Structure formats: C-alpha cells, structure tokens
Amino acid sequence: MNRDDDLARALAYVPPTDPYVVCWRDLDPTSTTEELERLADWVTWATTRYNLDHKIVPPCWPHHGAILEELSALRTFWESCYQPDAAPSDPLTFHRDLTLAVRRLRDWSSLLGCSRTSHRPEAGES
C-alpha cells in the first residue's frame, strides 16, 4: 500500500453505528485480534486527520498497553461524539479532550523510546 492508498483509506473511514467500550483485559485472543484490526483502522484515520506523528503515536503502538488503551478510549469517545443523537457540542468536547490525550500519548511515547523505524520492547514483552 502506498501513501496515496493510505490517505484514501483514512479519508474514507466511516465509524460503526454503535460505539462501545472495549475492555482489553477481558478479550480472548480472537476478539483481541478483531478489535486491534478495528482500532488500527481508526488510528490510521486519526493519525492522518490530526497529523499525529510517530512521536505521539509510534508505529508499534499495539505493543504498548498504555498507548493502546488511550487510543481505544479516544476512538470510543470520538464515535460517541459523532452519533446522530450527539449534542452539537460533543465534537468540541472531543477536541478539548484530544488535546489532553495527545499530551499523554507524547509523554508515553517519549518514555518508551520507540522511533519511526524501531520498537523498544517494554519489560516483560517478548
């Protein structure tokens, strides 16, 4: 897939109709894989849409629990803010909270030391 394909995919992202909270701790391996694929689609869209670079969301984000949880929570919040019955102010609320989330993501990514091309495993990761 080239950069133009990635951009077209990101711009074409359509959220599912019913947002739901994912409790990653309770998922079986098959459900984890399915949810990671669904989250990856949204992360691709969001990182393109909001111009979030590898210093905020490293390419190896699925291997880092805190980053995965933050992105999952953001996706759920974003989906709920853009539902047909959402309040007109919900998108603004999302963007206010996105600013805080980006700070946390940047802090976590900085501590991890992963780069655009390399992944640094966390303690206990194989």
Side-chain angles (χ1 to χ4, degrees):
M1 201 178 252
N2 66 35
R3 188 169 174 83
D4 290 338
D5 291 337
D6 289 342
L7 179 60
R9 183 176 178 211
L11 294 175
Y13 180 77
V14 177
T17 56
D18 296 318
Y20 57 91
V21 175
V22 176
C23 181
W24 292 92
R25 181 194 65 193
D26 296 340
L27 296 179
D28 61 60
T30 300
S31 296
T32 297
T33 300
E34 291 169 0
E35 287 301 331
L36 275 173
E37 289 172 5
R38 190 170 89 85
L39 181 56
D41 287 342
W42 185 83
V43 170
T44 298
W45 173 83
T47 55
T48 301
R49 187 65 166 177
Y50 294 102
N51 198 30
L52 305 175
D53 67 18
H54 69 281
K55 294 176 184 173
I56 299 167
V57 180
C60 56
W61 64 265
H63 299 285
H64 300 292
I67 293 176
L68 185 146
E69 294 281 353
E70 184 79 28
L71 292 170
S72 182
L74 272 174
R75 188 229 11 233
T76 299
F77 189 36
W78 180 85
E79 288 172 350
S80 70
C81 288
Y82 287 91
Q83 293 296 302
D85 62 346
S89 60
D90 285 351
L92 288 174
T93 303
F94 170 79
H95 288 100
R96 181 198 64 216
D97 289 354
L98 175 64
T99 300
L100 299 172
V102 165
R103 288 181 195 156
R104 287 189 300 269
L105 288 165
R106 184 179 290 118
D107 288 347
W108 284 325
S109 294
S110 175
L111 289 171
L112 293 168
C114 298
S115 72
R116 187 175 311 163
T117 58
S118 67
H119 166 63
R120 287 184 54 197
E122 294 182 67
E125 183 185 335
S126 52

